[in-house]
Amino acid sequence: MAILSGSGRVAGIVGWPVTHSRSPRLHGFWLDRHAIDGAYVPLAVRPEQFATAIRGLVAAGFAGCNVTAPHKLSAFEICDAVDESAHRAGAVNTLVFSDGRITGSNTDGYGFLANLRAHGIEVMDGPALVLGAGGAARAVAAALLGAGIDVTIANRTRAKAEALARDLPGLRIVDWQHRGTALADQALVVNTTSLGMSGHDPLGLDLSQAPDKLVVADIVYVPLETPLLAAARGRGLRAVEGLGMLLHQAVPGFHAWFGVRPQVDEELRRFVAAGLIAQ
Ligand SMILES: NC(=O)c1ccc[n+]([C@@H]2O[C@H](COP(=O)([O-])OP(=O)(O)OC[C@H]3O[C@@H](n4cnc5c(N)ncnc54)[C@H](OP(=O)(O)O)[C@@H]3O)[C@@H](O)[C@H]2O)c1
């Protein structure tokens, strides 16, 4: 059981809204597992109150926090220093407070790559196609490029893909309607759009031209098995679910705030997945 004394370490997640966040359940599992004197709390903060709230957390002695929509750009701006991952992604999801200073990073790209590795997949095996050009696409594409991969992006709104390509040198673009034929040259395809999420249309992606070695990753994790992943498995392709990325992206923050590098394992995955089903 986690303990909470007057000298406990406290972190949390700042979002608006924040009710949908799985992070309190995830970090709460690790706090219990390691019997840590500390807490991780959800914090609903309106956009116009973001800077005041963060300064308040620093003043109140918080160890840091995660930041989710719509605050990831404001979080970048409030930092005294940001690391390379935040620079590449142009957004911050993890803040660490130390001696009154705020340091920011973006762990989404790390989480994505760590999840692939946990599935025994080495991204160096070939080029990747990223579908989408939103915040998550930026972090995933930046991490893949940083790992030395050739990355092509396809997005419904081409102007957003072009904006991303301006920020991430080396990123190629293919038209959204050509995403199926573009698969022929890829080792990895990643869905970073919201298509396939519960309540959204499925992602239409014709896998018939896909090479047999193609790895199909979806970062959508509600449902766990998206129509894209089901179609990939049906074609005999390797499929990687999005929940693992969520679990892995939480590791660096927990380590920084609570001093323990936690494990991502099947027990954690089942615990967080059960929370998704219950909602
Ligand atoms: N597993 C994880 O840890 C993790 C982390 C972050 C995000 N996610 C998931 O990733 C997804 C995207 O998140 P985000 O923050 O990047 O969202 P976002 O910034 O709002 O971007 C949404 C993306 O989806 C595309 N899209 C939306 N509706 C579409 C449609 N009908 N047809 C084609 N494209 C469509 C958008 O294209 P346009 O530019 O054309 O609008 C855009 O590229 C969400 O499902 C989120 O839950 C998972």
Side-chain angles (χ1 to χ4, degrees):
M1 279 290 286
I3 317 147
L4 191 53
S5 77
S7 54
R9 310 268 296 165
V10 184
I13 179 157
V14 176
W16 184 260
V18 80
T19 42
H20 64 284
S21 175
R22 279 74 184 182
S23 293
R25 186 173 173 90
L26 165 52
H27 287 274
F29 177 92
W30 282 330
L31 288 168
D32 275 350
R33 173 181 273 180
H34 295 286
I36 285 172
D37 184 5
Y40 183 101
V41 292
L43 298 159
V45 173
R46 291 177 184 278
E48 61 274 20
Q49 294 292 339
F50 179 75
T52 308
I54 294 297
R55 297 281 173 214
L57 297 182
V58 173
F62 270 55
C65 62
N66 282 126
V67 177
T68 189
H71 302 307
K72 288 185 180 182
L73 295 178
S74 308
F76 189 98
E77 282 157 20
I78 206 172
C79 287
D80 297 302
V82 294
D83 73 3
E84 182 59 28
S85 67
H87 264 301
R88 281 201 309 251
V92 157
N93 73 348
T94 304
L95 296 176
V96 176
F97 308 149
S98 175
D99 299 328
R101 277 174 60 82
I102 304 172
T103 306
S105 59
N106 190 310
T107 62
D108 277 341
Y110 162 84
F112 176 73
L113 293 183
N115 186 38
L116 284 185
R117 289 201 189 96
H119 283 78
I121 293 157
E122 260 316 318
V123 284
M124 303 306 285
D125 286 350
L129 175 65
V130 174
L131 303 176
R138 183 179 286 263
V140 167
L144 288 167
L145 287 166
I149 310 300
D150 280 341
V151 183
T152 302
I153 197 160
N155 192 51
R156 174 182 62 176
T157 308
R158 190 181 163 103
K160 282 202 206 164
E162 287 168 354
L164 201 53
R166 279 195 292 277
D167 290 349
L168 298 177
L171 190 65
R172 294 168 220 248
I173 301 175
V174 68
D175 280 340
W176 179 246
Q177 59 269 33
H178 296 142
R179 61 194 182 282
T181 44
L183 285 179
D185 304 324
Q186 310 298 329
L188 171 69
V189 62
V190 190
N191 174 42
T192 74
T193 74
S194 39
L195 292 171
M197 261 176 92
S198 297
H200 291 65
D201 289 337
L203 171 73
L205 184 65
D206 178 6
L207 294 173
S208 61
Q209 308 289 317
D212 292 344
K213 65 170 176 70
L214 183 73
V215 174
V216 179
D218 203 331
I219 74 161
V220 170
Y221 55 86
V222 182
L224 289 172
E225 179 83 344
T226 61
L228 172 65
L229 295 179
R233 287 189 224 278
R235 249 243 34 211
L237 303 173
R238 295 193 68 181
V240 180
E241 68 178 26
L243 182 60
M245 172 178 167
L246 179 77
L247 305 180
H248 282 281
Q249 65 76 31
V251 169
F254 190 92
H255 187 201
W257 304 319
F258 301 113
V260 173
R261 191 160 185 93
Q263 291 300 309
V264 172
D265 57 20
E266 187 51 28
E267 192 186 356
L268 172 73
R269 187 193 159 280
R270 272 204 303 272
F271 181 78
V272 177
L276 300 177
I277 292 157
Q279 286 181 347

